[in-house]
Amino acid sequence: MSVVNVCANTDTVFADGAFSGSGSVSNKSILVTGRFYVNGSFSLNNCMVYVAAGGQIVIQNGGVLNVNHSTLQSCDTMWRGIEVMGGAVLNLSTTLLRDAENGILLRHQGRAKVRDSYFYDNIIGINAQPELSLTDGYGLAQLLVVGTEFKRLNGLKPGYAGQPYHGTVPLCGIWLNKMFCSIGDDGSNENHFSNMVYGIYSQNSSLTLTNSSFKAIYNHNSWNTKAKGTAVVSWGNAMNTLADLSFRPVVSGMASIDQCDRGVYATYSGVDIAGLNITQVLTGIYAVHGHLRAFDLNNNHIEAKSYGIYLSRNENALNINVEGNQIIMKGSIKGEGITMDEWNNVVSANYYINNNSVTLWDAAYGIKSSYTLKPQINYNNIFQYTTGSALPNTTGIALLGSDTATVSCNYITTNYPPDSNNFVSIGMEIAQSIFFTVNCNKIRYHNCGVYMGGNCLNKNIYRANDVDSCDMGLYLNGAAVIGQQMQKGNRWLNVSNKINAANVGAPNSSLIIVHTPPNTIWHPFNISPNGQWFVQDTTGTPENCNNTCEAAFTNAEDTLL
């Protein structure tokens, strides 16, 4: 059987070094043997274009290339792609471009418009302004991409002679450097990115992204790059605030990010992510180094294994708002819904974690604050569920070395079975944290409602919290010191026949002054030790939540059941 060499049987040949002039070619098969220069207004319509190994189409200053309903691909070895020089224009519509080192190489002051097209098996689909340095200021290239698909289909072809080393799978759909641009449009078809190491990598760029979906973006060892396996990367630097990402969902209502290692990775970048559906990922959103930047992560649906939202090294951020998100953690006993992980609690990152719903399926933490200063954690609902007999440790909200925290009006519940001997399920843990305000939280059905450890002495407020049907309502470990709590109106419900409050350290250093005698809603039934660390004082009035938050007590909960 004979093998037909398609590159040897074309209608037309563009010789190496040839210039296009102005005009058009339609309904032809074309071989580009080397570099082909577009120096006028030139169009390819319904053409099949083959490019020899290492070949390239270069649009020069003043040149315009229009490609419609065509295919551009290599013969049997990779080609360089289309280079759009400064002052040049490329219009690509309903066209397949494949097998290139850079499908489109867009230079400073060049312009490219891509509509309803396909980029298959390129190392980088569109590479914008890679030549620009880290100095301040965006470049002047212009890029429009709508209704276009970027994916690995058959894999990369062999490299051309002298081609720089590259990995064995496509690296990225769109790579931006020093760009100020929008990708996607709600009034156009959806962009799709799949089966590569990055979907979009935005470096020192301001990117507005919408109506674009990402699937099966994964880490691959053949590439030695950072943050691999991320659908969208926004990577800035400490010297400026150029990097910024605004990300909005696909119009279809389907998942914007699905089956990726990581949804979004942002470092030294402002972030505004709202309304996304992120499913089957290891980490949903990873945002770090927010110094003098703002993060707004609102109203997203995230289904993750390791981290739903991970935040770190954000000291002196302008503000970090995490609000209205629905997060489901499943698949790892170490999974964490919302994590704030700072290196010290001296400088505030201005965290506001409000009105989120976090569901844990055999996972570790709902909301964890580690070494943060002044975090605000309010009005969140946390559900800690188990599906089997393994029963991994789980904590609803944890303050670990986090000073001046406010934790209010949160609802925390679990379906873990009772266990009076082991604190497998904990509603709230507070350790080595001072100046905290913990009030008006409702905690239900845990092995331990509230666990306190270490020095938590200075001016803390633990008030009007409702601990319902927990094996242990309040537990202070051997090192815990919380100071005197005067008539704060905390309540213990459904706790008969169990030790409801225990202090295994120094009870006299953590006196709790209660208004009413034992065996009432202001005083747990059974305490350990039985000494005077719950002290009655009938003067004054116990504090209460009234109707200030969703966790405010109802009339039906005013008495012990």
Side-chain angles (χ1 to χ4, degrees):
M1 181 178 67
S2 62
V3 177
V4 177
N5 184 350
V6 294
C7 292
N9 295 278
T10 59
D11 301 321
T12 303
V13 174
F14 293 166
D16 184 23
F19 290 85
S20 69
S22 295
S24 64
V25 177
S26 301
N27 304 309
K28 297 290 186 180
S29 60
I30 301 167
L31 173 63
V32 178
T33 62
R35 279 192 169 88
F36 177 67
Y37 297 94
V38 176
N39 61 340
S41 180
F42 186 70
S43 298
L44 296 170
N45 304 307
N46 297 298
C47 290
M48 184 70 206
V49 179
Y50 298 97
V51 185
Q56 188 176 33
I57 297 174
V58 180
I59 312 173
Q60 296 182 318
N61 184 7
V64 177
L65 176 61
N66 304 302
V67 185
N68 305 300
H69 302 281
S70 298
T71 295
L72 295 89
Q73 69 172 64
S74 71
C75 296
D76 53 12
T77 306
M78 297 192 78
W79 61 301
R80 286 181 168 84
I82 301 174
E83 183 171 5
V84 184
M85 303 297 291
V89 176
L90 170 65
N91 296 308
L92 204 71
S93 177
T94 323
T95 288
L96 169 60
L97 195 161
R98 64 187 305 167
D99 307 328
E101 184 176 33
N102 294 288
I104 296 173
L105 180 57
L106 179 62
R107 298 296 189 182
H108 172 58
Q109 296 185 329
R111 289 185 291 166
K113 295 182 180 180
V114 181
R115 295 182 180 273
D116 301 317
S117 293
Y118 308 89
F119 286 70
Y120 294 164
D121 298 329
N122 304 291
I123 295 178
I124 298 178
I126 299 174
N127 193 353
Q129 300 187 149
E131 72 275 15
L132 296 185
S133 68
L134 291 177
T135 56
D136 289 342
Y138 301 110
L140 298 178
Q142 298 178 35
L143 177 64
L144 170 73
V145 182
V146 297
T148 295
E149 183 176 47
F150 300 80
K151 69 182 295 185
R152 176 178 62 84
L153 188 63
N154 298 320
L156 301 178
K157 287 187 176 178
Y160 60 82
Q163 183 173 353
Y165 171 81
H166 59 81
T168 58
V169 299
L171 176 63
C172 186
I174 300 176
W175 193 292
L176 306 173
N177 182 46
K178 307 294 287 292
M179 290 287 291
F180 190 99
C181 68
S182 297
I183 302 294
D185 179 79
D186 289 350
S188 302
N189 292 326
E190 186 177 309
N191 292 314
H192 298 279
F193 299 78
S194 63
N195 292 294
M196 54 188 65
V197 176
Y198 306 103
I200 296 177
Y201 196 111
S202 179
Q203 180 173 277
N204 294 305
S205 297
S206 179
L207 171 63
T208 298
L209 178 62
T210 187
N211 205 21
S212 299
S213 66
F214 302 81
K215 186 170 184 176
I217 305 298
Y218 58 92
N219 182 7
H220 197 276
N221 290 334
S222 67
W223 287 101
N224 185 23
T225 52
K226 296 180 179 180
K228 293 183 291 185
T230 303
V232 180
V233 174
S234 184
W235 196 296
N237 64 76
M239 296 181 291
N240 57 52
T241 57
L242 294 177
D244 187 71
L245 171 64
S246 175
F247 196 173
R248 293 296 181 268
V250 292
V251 173
S252 66
M254 303 299 288
S256 293
I257 300 172
D258 181 50
Q259 298 178 45
C260 300
D261 289 354
R262 188 185 297 109
V264 175
Y265 185 109
T267 181
Y268 295 110
S269 172
V271 180
D272 179 8
I273 302 174
L276 299 190
N277 188 5
I278 303 174
T279 57
Q280 299 186 70
V281 296
L282 298 181
T283 297
I285 299 172
Y286 181 102
V288 299
H289 294 297
H291 178 74
L292 297 181
R293 295 162 175 85
F295 295 172
D296 288 294
L297 311 175
N298 303 325
N299 302 310
N300 301 289
H301 175 90
I302 301 173
E303 300 174 15
K305 179 179 179 180
S306 300
Y307 297 98
I309 296 175
Y310 181 89
L311 307 163
S312 182
R313 298 301 308 275
N314 292 313
E315 60 274 3
N316 273 325
L318 298 179
N319 59 267
I320 298 178
N321 295 317
V322 180
E323 184 169 353
N325 300 285
Q326 183 183 59
I327 299 174
I328 301 172
M329 302 303 301
K330 190 173 184 179
S332 171
I333 62 173
K334 297 180 180 180
E336 301 180 8
I338 300 173
T339 302
M340 296 160 279
D341 187 13
E342 296 300 308
W343 285 23
N344 64 69
N345 57 13
V346 177
V347 180
S348 175
N350 293 305
Y351 284 116
Y352 298 90
I353 315 297
N354 300 322
N355 290 297
N356 300 284
S357 174
V358 181
T359 301
L360 306 179
W361 292 97
D362 295 306
Y365 290 97
I367 299 173
K368 186 174 81 171
S369 173
S370 180
Y371 293 99
T372 65
L373 178 66
K374 299 181 180 179
Q376 302 288 314
I377 305 172
N378 307 309
Y379 296 97
N380 301 285
N381 293 315
I382 300 175
F383 307 94
Q384 298 159 261
Y385 295 144
T386 183
T387 57
S389 58
L391 302 178
N393 292 335
T394 182
T395 301
I397 295 176
L399 296 180
L400 309 177
S402 297
D403 294 347
T404 324
T406 298
V407 183
S408 299
C409 303
N410 299 285
Y411 179 85
I412 311 171
T413 188
T414 183
N415 74 342
Y416 269 59
D419 189 336
S420 299
N421 299 315
N422 300 291
F423 297 158
V424 179
S425 64
I426 297 175
M428 187 179 302
E429 179 182 0
I430 304 171
Q432 293 293 125
S433 301
I434 60 176
F435 299 110
F436 63 73
T437 297
V438 175
N439 62 262
C440 299
N441 300 285
K442 186 174 181 65
I443 302 168
R444 306 182 69 186
Y445 308 131
H446 293 82
N447 302 146
C448 181
V450 179
Y451 182 102
M452 294 190 182
N455 180 10
C456 303
L457 181 60
N458 290 348
K459 296 181 180 179
N460 300 312
I461 298 174
Y462 179 73
R463 68 178 287 276
N465 297 287
D466 182 354
V467 179
D468 184 353
S469 305
C470 293
D471 298 314
M472 174 71 70
L474 173 65
Y475 182 87
L476 278 65
N477 72 10
V481 180
I482 65 172
Q484 179 172 294
Q485 303 295 309
M486 179 67 180
Q487 292 189 352
K488 296 303 180 184
N490 297 292
R491 312 195 321 163
W492 283 259
L493 303 177
N494 300 317
V495 290
S496 59
N497 302 317
K498 296 180 179 180
I499 295 177
N500 316 133
N503 188 332
V504 300
N508 290 334
S509 298
S510 302
L511 296 179
I512 298 178
I513 312 301
V514 294
H515 183 267
T516 46
N519 301 337
T520 68
I521 59 176
W522 312 113
H523 193 297
F525 272 143
N526 305 303
I527 62 174
S528 175
N530 289 319
Q532 295 295 307
W533 68 293
F534 274 81
V535 180
Q536 178 184 347
D537 185 343
T538 59
T539 63
T541 303
E543 298 186 25
N544 63 82
C545 294
N546 294 319
N547 294 314
T548 58
C549 66
E550 294 172 359
F553 309 133
T554 66
N555 291 333
E557 293 168 331
D558 281 344
T559 59
L560 278 174
L561 301 178

